[in-house]
Every structure is written in structure tokens, then in C-alpha cells.
Amino acid sequence: MSGTAAAAGSASCRFAHYFVVCGVDADTGLEPDDGAGESFEQSPLRRSFKSKVLVHYPENTDRNPFNKDAVNMLCMPKGLSFRTQADRRDPRFHSFTISFDDGTRSYGFVHTFYEEVTSPQIITAMQTLLQMYHVEHHSSSMDSLASSLDESDAESLAGVSGCVGSFDPARDTLYVSKALCLITPLPFLQASRQFLAQLHQAVTSQTAPPLPLESYIHNILYEVPLPPPGRSLRFHGVQGPIMCQRPGPGELPLGEYSLGEAFSLLGVDNMVKLLTCALLETQVLLYSQDYQRLMTVAEGITTLLFPFQWQHIYLPIVSTPLHHLLDAPVPFLMGIQRRDGAQRSSLHLPQEANLCFVDIDNHCVEAPEDLPRFPDQAELIQELSEVLLHFGVPPSSSTAPSSSPSERLSSLVLEDLMEDRRNGNLGGEELAVLERLQALARRCGGGKLSDDGKTLGHVFEEEEEELKAAKLNINLREVFAVRFAAMFGRYEEFVIHSALDLDSWLSNREGTLSFDKGSFLSSQPAAHLHFLSRFLETSMFSSFVDGKVISRWADREPLQQLFDSRLERERLYDTGDEDSRSCPYRKCAALFESAHPIERRLLKADHTAIHPHLLDMRIGQGRHHPGYFPKLQADVLAQAQNTNKWSGRVTASRRSEPKRSSLNDHSGVDNDHRQKHTFLRRTLRQSKLLDSSPQAVSQTHREFVDGLLSECRLKTKRMLMERMGKESVELGQGEANITGLQENTLIHGLCDLLERTWGHGLQIKQVRHLIQLLPQALDEGTLLLRGSLVQDMRFIQSMSEGLSDVGQARAWIHLALEKKMLSQHLKELLTNQELLRKVLPFVDCKNLFFHLASCVFPGIPYRVVIIPMKKLSIAMATVNPWVCVSGELGDSGVRQIPKNTQEIYFQCKNLGRLSTLQLGQENSGLLAKCLIDCVMVYNEITGHTYKFPCGRWLGKGVGDGSLERVLIGQLVSPGAEEDAGSPCPLPLVLKFPFVTTVHLIFSGMLSVEVHEDMREAANNLVKHFHKPEQERGNLTVLLCGEGGLVLSLEKFLLHGFKSNRLFQRNVFVWDFVEKAVVSMETADQMGDLHGSTLTKSPPCDSLCHYVNAINASPRNIGKEGKFQLFVCLGIRDRFLYQWLPLLADCPLTARTYEDGALLRDRAAVHSLSRILHTLNDFSITLEAALIKGVDL
């Protein structure tokens, strides 16, 4: 393996991935940074210029490719800055994060300092720009010049003699900013900051470091491994040792950004409010002059989300070229820098209805007006305040994090302690403190001063502050982790596992509910429902539940595995006696014990990395030039040094690292199943967000549009499913009684979606809502709209006392939804060209809004597909079929199938759970007949498919001559849709349509089987009516479906039926019933019964009346359809049990049936009559599709 390959292969277990230097490129010269948004009225010394990545090592790694443009933009968000010797040139530190498409992140840590410009070209270019500037502004006064400067710039130039903003190469020294960056796979904030600071100190020091800087950079890139989980690691910087650590498998993930600083900047109340906004996935915009403050607050919030993860745009630092992302109509967590002197009012944000604006420098959080309170918010704030006070941090916001500095220790104090030890005057605790001081003294070189000039006491104080901040972080995170455990401790009980395998679950993801939200909310305290009902609709909770579902087939995600293990531990001590709806607030019991592991790791290193060493460098390179960062030798930094004696010195932790799991840090490779799911749920490509090219910006906004369309479909589908009532219940998607809270939550989500769609591409940024623009336009007469929309708008205005713009807009949406006019209103607005010209300039936005309007309650979309027998599918081209789909809530009406097609798509009201489908044709054309296998109906909202088996001819002169059939539906599983074209199993004769029915029945059935089928069909009906109403199935299926009463009775009557064996004609039970009725009526008229009362009894009259009524029906449903109708009407009106003995006693029966037929067996007929009589106790209601056209 080559050196480069070896370096790439081991990159995943290294402390750092890249070392980067950004600054001015003398070859390309000075390029104005057009995207910085600065005015050319400013002096060139105060303008921003484009920076470049000067060098980066290594060239690339396998799993984290280097993105040069993104790293340059994030290292120097404001570009290059120039200063003179009269300006302040304090070094600055900030960090950033880069998100990848699979959800992983890399962290960048940047140390920015000013370096003297030595390039004559750059100095000449700056002098030329200044001369041009002074010529153009020669007549301007000093006051006008000063007004164009920043406040800090004005202060720095106040004492400069001569012309303000001038630069004379002979008199002045020009400095330019340069950035040193370290990119790591984990947020090693403290260690990276110390390494870069020591590197810069070595550059500015007058004395050369012990080794060339290449040795230290090579060491941290290739020889310092990641510390093993649960262990700490010491490695060496230029000035001294540096510590880093990783949490163990049972601890919270690594998080070094100071939560104490975040709480000090914003205060406890504001931090809880901000966390609530993040949990509900509002748009969060951070605002501060300091880039590191933006990262501190952003990372602090995302850290507190455990066990959930932010699923949307995450850019804590957004430079000016990326400000177009503020127009994103999706949830985001972003940060922008405050320019000197800029006010909140100067920001023109696209839409603020769902925006949480966080002004960090002014300690202010502006949350959306309808933000619910976090569960047990008052008790949570009290507990957090107690934790902060314990560490000396005030709960209220302040300008800087407060701390109580320890007394500085002098070397004399150390000497006194050593003397006390020798005299035996120190106890165990004092002795342990002394040992720590001795260790610190050794790290500082054993003298009174360390190498960087710090006293021993100063070093000790810094380490104490670092340890205190780490312990405070753990305690604050534990408080929130315990809160989430209390809120979702029983979440596993409500996870719905409906899929048989992962592929089927993924293929039907949008049509499947994985969490029983209604039951979960019913078990929660009433005060928590407002927050929880909205949180359950977020992407982060959906992703969390999806991870639990997928864990049946793949490994659990690290955060979820950790959370579940903590819940299992808590259940061991949980008595389970308390009701979750009335459970009191519980503080974190093991609060301070949780910080013991990190304290142990920081006080004593478990492993030590290889020391920096000399590299194989050319003579003359690596020389020290004070104040200048050297030009690094590329050949020794581009790859690991595998040929020298140092390569064999690898610590035990380094050798074992690749074998260890990455539970806490997500650095391992997910399995194929989880990767597939991750890419399905993350539609936005995070890697493209940092690309500011026009093509990338256009592609990003197209992805925004695609995401909105997908979200629109999901939200409207969910709202419709919640309103579908019983169908959703029977399909396992909720409770029958949908609470007003859940419905309001869904409508709130729709309002949010409409507002975000409205704000995307808005020209008039001050118009935050549609309702703000319309009243003015209506008054001016510039918009001509229909009366209903105007009336609704005026009504909301008249009732809007005390309502904000947001409240009015959402009240209008509520009203339109109640009147079922929202779709019509939106479409009317979007056809108004004057409105679009004013406020919606982007074509994509217009199309998006119009599509959204078409999705808001237009009706339930259904797709019907007729599947003919494959051998005769060509016959469908000559038939003009029609369908009518019926369900528990109504029917679709007759829908004509377009010519030369076999499917139709239509929208209609919700039909509920589908039960029957009428299929017919007009009997026109040359060959107006076809053999239908089945009909498939797909509900586009719920994603469910119904199969209506047929297997019969449709047409005159074939089969039973039916032109219309009533088919019975059955819900099919997701995987069964692929088998829709296979022949249907119902009924038995359908598999062989050219073989006589009589022959099959006579030769294949035993009397015992037929009688048992009849009993089973009747028992199913009895069981149906004995169940609670909400648990009953479909009655039509029990009557007419597979194994139903109609087919069972047909088998009974066909048993032993005589047939013409020579011609093998199809005969039907209805033929026998018709002839029997004719025989009875004829015998009654001719008096051939000689006084018999058979035909004069009421049962006989009803039999004749019903058969004649069915034959008189205008519907051409065929003989099988007529027999089905005959049985259904007889069982409904309680006549069927009387009709069977009449048919058995009819003289025609002896001529039609053989001796062994069941109908000629009096015992069998009597038994069947008694079975049917038991059904008279129940009231049977038939669907309208079954009895339509029959006049009784």
C-alpha cells in the first residue's frame, strides 16, 4: 500500500482530517469580495477581499472529501481584512461545522491572525486602490469619511497622524488576515483551540520552536489517533501537552461547546424558549457580531435535543453569499453576523410568521406568537437555575459568562505545600491536590513560568475552568435528558410495527403510520398536550420513530440505542404505580455523579500519543522567521511517513481503535438498510448548500420546491386521513374520535406550510402574510375577486380585534377550511395576474403555490384499473366500460372509463372503507364483450389498494349475459399489488370460465363440506353482530364475498343438480328459481294442486313477488347477480328460511335434482332452514349498490 493510500485508509480513526491555511494569494492579487455586501464608499483598508485556500493537507481522505470553496468561505466568512500598524490586530478564534448528505458532520476550528504583507504586488495594489479612492472622494470631508467607517475602525484610527485611511509604504506597515484551520471528525473544541493557539505563538515568538512546524502538523494529522471511547488522550503541541477525551458507551455524546456560556448569553428562560422552537422545527435565525457565539448557541441547542436530531438545514455561520438561504421555505437553524451599528429593523427577512429570531448580543429571543410552553417549564427553569448557580453562573443573561476566578498560586505556595508534605502535615485530600499541582508543574517545565509565559497558577486556573465547564455541560444535558426520558419513557408501547420486512415498509413509508399518536396523547397530562401534539408532527420525531421501526431489521442508531438503554435502566427502579398523567416533576437524581467520568478523564490521561519528531525534510527548509507563518514543505505533509523509525511507535489505543464501535460519535459506517432509509428521508443535499454559484443556488431552490411539494402532500394526506374516521380506524391509523387538539395541530401545520410557501420568493418583504396585502388591494380596487373570498376576508377583519397578522391569516385559513373553500380561494388568488406581478415574481413559486392549492382538500383521489384476462385483453379495446365505487360513506357515482384505456383517475368525497364496485358496459361495438379478471382501486391519500375479484364475462350472449356486475372488494397488503394480474381465487368456477359450472360442482363437492360451509357463513354473520360496533367488519363481504352466505347457498343448491352432459351447457341456480316460481304460479292458476295450500301461503306469495321484482329491475346484472340479490333481500326481510322448504317441495325439484342432492334431503333442508332462522334476530342493512333498481 502506498503512503497516500495508507493515510486515507486510516483517516477515520485520526484526531484530525485536514490542516488548512487560508489567506491572500499573491499570484492572483486582490479581488473585491462582491458577495460581502460592502459599499465602495469605504476605504480599501476597510473593505473585504476574496481569500483563497493556500494549502491543505492531506489532499483528500476517503470518507470526507475536501470542499475547498466551502472551507474557504467558513474559515474567512468576511474574506480578507487589511490593517496597518496603527490598528488593533488581536487574533480571533471561531469554529464551524460542515454537514454531509448522510447526516454526519465535520468540525472546523479556525485561528485568525494578522501577518505582515511582504508581496510587492499586494502592497502596490493596495496603494493604487487607496489613491483611486482619495481621488474619487477628494472633496469629501473627514466627517463623511468617518461615518463610513465601523466604530471599532474609527477608534483605531483616532490616534493616527495624517490623513485617516491613508497608507504610505515608506511609513506604514500593511498587515493581512490569515487563518489556520484544523478539521476534525468530532467536536474537539478545547484541544483544537489550544493546538492552533500554540502554533500561532510559535510563529510570533522570537525563539524558534524545538522542531519545525511541519513536525507538529504532521503529528496531529497522521500520528494522533482518536481517543478510545471512555478514555482520554494526551498529545503534544508546540508549547506543551494537550488533553482530549471521548465519552464512554453509556454516556451522553461528546459536546464541548460551553452550555454555561450559552445560558449566560441568553438566560435560562430564553434558552428554554429557543429549545422549544428547535423542537417544534420553527425557523431559527441566530444573530451576533461574534462567529463563535453563533456556533456556541447553535451547538448548545442541538446538543440538548438528545435523543432527537435536527433534520433540516443547519448552518450556524452563513456568509453573505449564502444569504439567499434565508428565503428557504423550510425549517432551518442558521446564524448571520451582525455588522457594526446594524439594527434589527434593518434586516429584511422573507417571512417571520414561523421565525424564532435570536439576538445573542442583546440577550433577546423573539419566538413565534403561538409557541406552546415546554412541559413543566417552570419546574425545569428552576432546576436549571439551581445547576447554574451551583457552578457560579447567573441564570439571567449577562454580557459575558461570569466566573469566580481562583486565587493565583505562586511558586512559594507550591514550595510550602512540598514542605508540609515532607513534614507529614497533609491529609489524603490535600495530598491529592498536591499531586495534581506537581503534574501541572511538570507540564509547565518545572519552573515558575511555563513556556508561553503563564504562571503555574494561571495554568492551574485555566484547567480548573475547563473542568468546571465540562462538568456544567454534562449536568445541564442530564437535566434535559431526564426530562425527555420522563416524557417519552413509554414511547415503545405506541410504536406500530405493521410491515413484514424492511423493503415493504420503505416502499409504503408515506402510507403507513408508525406511531399511535392518539393513544400516546391520551396518556399524557393535559397541560402537556399543546406542545406534544405539535412535536409528534415534526420530522425529528418521525425520524426517531422510524429508527425504532428499522431496528427490527438493522442495528439501532447510536443515539437511540443510548436512550433506550437509559430507559431500561430507569425501569428497573420504577414501581409503575404512578399514572403518567399525574406524575409529579422529578429532578435528575444522579446529576453530579454523572460528571465523575469526565472529571477522571481530564485529570489523568489514559493514553499518550506519539511525540512530534523530525521529518525527512530538505536542508534549509523549516527555518523560523518570527511573525511569518512559513511556507510548509508539501512532500512531508501530503502523506504519512511510513518509512522512518517513528512509524512503529503506535499506542495500544491506536492499534485497537478501528475495532471499536463509534456509539457516541456516529463515525462508523451504517449498514445498507439504514443508509437507504437515511437518503430517503433527507431530500435536501446538505453538501450543496455551501455552493454559492448560480447553478447551485438554482438547484438548491428547486430542491426547496420539491421538498415543499412532498410536505404538502404528506400534510394534506394526514389531515384527510384524520377526517376519514372509521376507515382510518379499521386500517390501524388512529382512533375513531379525533380530538379537536389533534385536528388543530394538523391545521396549524398547514398554516405554517402556507406561510412558508407564501414567503418563498416574495418581492415585498414587509408583506409577511397574504391577508396584509389583500385588504389594501381590495380598497384600491386593483384586485377583482369573487364575493365569497372578499366576504371571508372582511369577516376576519371585523372579528380580528387583538389578533396579529399571523392570527388573522390563520383565522382566515380556519374559516376557509370549515367552509371547504380553501382550495377554491387559493386558486382564485393565483389566477390574478396583478397579485402575482406584485408579490410573486418567481415562476417556480407560482407553480408551487398553485400546486399547493390543488392539494388542499380537493377531495380524495382514487385510481381505478380494470385488469382483463391476459389471453383476451384485446377485447377491452371494443368495450366502453364504466364503474361506480361504493364505500361505507357513499359512492362515487358512475365514472365512464375513457376509450381505449383500462383505467381512470378521479377525485370525489371520502367514500370510507370501500366495499363494492359496480362494473358495467354499454353493449355497443362489434365485440362488446370481455372477460374481466379483477378491478383494482387505489386510494392516493391512504395508499391502500382494494382488489375486486371478478373472473366473469361482461357482455350479451356469453356467460350469464350480464352487462353489469356488483363486485365485492378486499383490502390487499402492499406486496400483493404486484400480483394484481394473477387470476382471482374467487369463486371456484372463475379459474375455468369455459368449463361448466355443474360439472365442477357435482364432481368436486361433498355434501358434508357444503353443509359445513353453510354453517360457517351463518356463524360469521352471528359473530359480526355480537361484536362491538366499532370492531365490526364489512357486512357486504360476509354476505357476498369469499366464503359468504351467497356463495355457500349457491353451492348448496347446485349440489346434485342434473345437467345436459352432452353439450356441457352452463346452468345457473337462478334458472331453477325462476322455473320454480313459474311452476308455482301456473299450478295455482290451473288448480292442479287439488286443494293444496302451498301456493296460497304468504311465504309462497313473497317468493313469487321478490323473484318477479328482481326480474323487472332495469339493471342487467345477469343470472348470478340476480341470485345474489335474491339471497340478500331474503335474509334482510327474514324470508329466506321460509323459501328453501318451498323450493324443496316444488314438483320441479324432483325432475331437476338427482336423488342424492341436498335439496331433496328433508333433514338437510330442515337443518339449513333452522340455521337461516337464527339470523332473523339481527337487523341487516344492505348497501345501496346491491339493491339499486329493485322496487319492493
Side-chain angles (χ1 to χ4, degrees), residues 71 107 260 284 397 448 557 799 819:
V71 171
Y107 291 84
V284 178
S397 58
K448 294 183 180 181
E557 289 190 349
M799 302 293 290
K819 298 175 66 175

Side-chain angles (χ1 to χ4, degrees), residues 144-168:
S144 63
L145 177 62
S147 65
S148 67
L149 299 176
D150 298 336
E151 293 179 4
S152 59
D153 299 331
E155 293 175 1
S156 63
L157 292 176
V160 180
S161 59
C163 180
V164 178
S166 63
F167 169 68
D168 184 1

Side-chain angles (χ1 to χ4, degrees), residues 450-619:
S450 60
D451 293 340
D452 58 356
K454 296 181 180 178
T455 65
L456 173 64
H458 194 185
V459 174
F460 179 64
E461 179 185 341
E462 285 184 350
E463 298 228 348
E464 283 295 311
E465 288 298 321
E466 181 182 344
L467 177 60
K468 186 177 78 170
K471 293 167 65 176
L472 176 58
N473 271 14
I474 292 296
N475 289 342
L476 291 173
R477 294 171 66 189
E478 283 290 342
V479 171
F480 283 98
V482 170
R483 279 291 84 222
F484 287 122
M487 294 160 57
F488 299 98
R490 296 172 50 204
Y491 85 96
E492 294 172 288
E493 301 175 15
F494 304 95
V495 176
I496 300 173
H497 298 283
S498 57
L500 299 178
D501 55 70
L502 181 59
D503 289 335
S504 63
W505 181 82
L506 290 174
S507 62
N508 197 38
R509 174 66 191 91
E510 292 187 1
T512 304
L513 290 183
S514 301
F515 194 77
D516 188 352
K517 299 175 183 178
S519 299
F520 176 80
L521 291 174
S522 64
S523 65
Q524 300 300 312
H528 300 176
L529 296 182
H530 192 193
F531 170 84
L532 289 175
S533 62
R534 288 178 56 179
F535 178 69
L536 297 188
E537 301 297 327
T538 60
S539 295
M540 72 173 69
F541 183 76
S542 297
S543 176
F544 179 76
V545 173
D546 289 349
K548 187 64 178 178
V549 174
I550 292 179
S551 65
R552 297 175 61 194
W553 307 287
D555 294 335
R556 284 181 292 179
E557 289 190 349
L559 290 182
Q560 191 155 40
Q561 184 175 348
L562 176 59
F563 186 66
D564 289 346
S565 63
R566 292 167 69 97
L567 293 182
E568 291 173 4
R569 270 200 318 272
E570 290 185 10
R571 292 192 191 105
L572 296 177
Y573 306 98
D574 188 8
T575 60
D577 297 334
E578 294 181 346
D579 184 2
S580 58
R581 287 174 292 186
S582 58
C583 183
Y585 183 90
R586 291 183 180 178
K587 293 184 178 180
C588 181
L591 190 60
F592 301 107
E593 290 81 354
S594 60
H596 289 167
I598 191 173
E599 183 177 13
R600 177 191 60 78
R601 290 193 293 268
L602 289 178
L603 292 178
K604 182 180 179 182
D606 297 306
H607 303 277
T608 301
I610 297 174
H611 285 248
H613 51 83
L614 281 172
L615 304 174
D616 298 331
M617 300 175 62
R618 293 190 296 270
I619 297 176

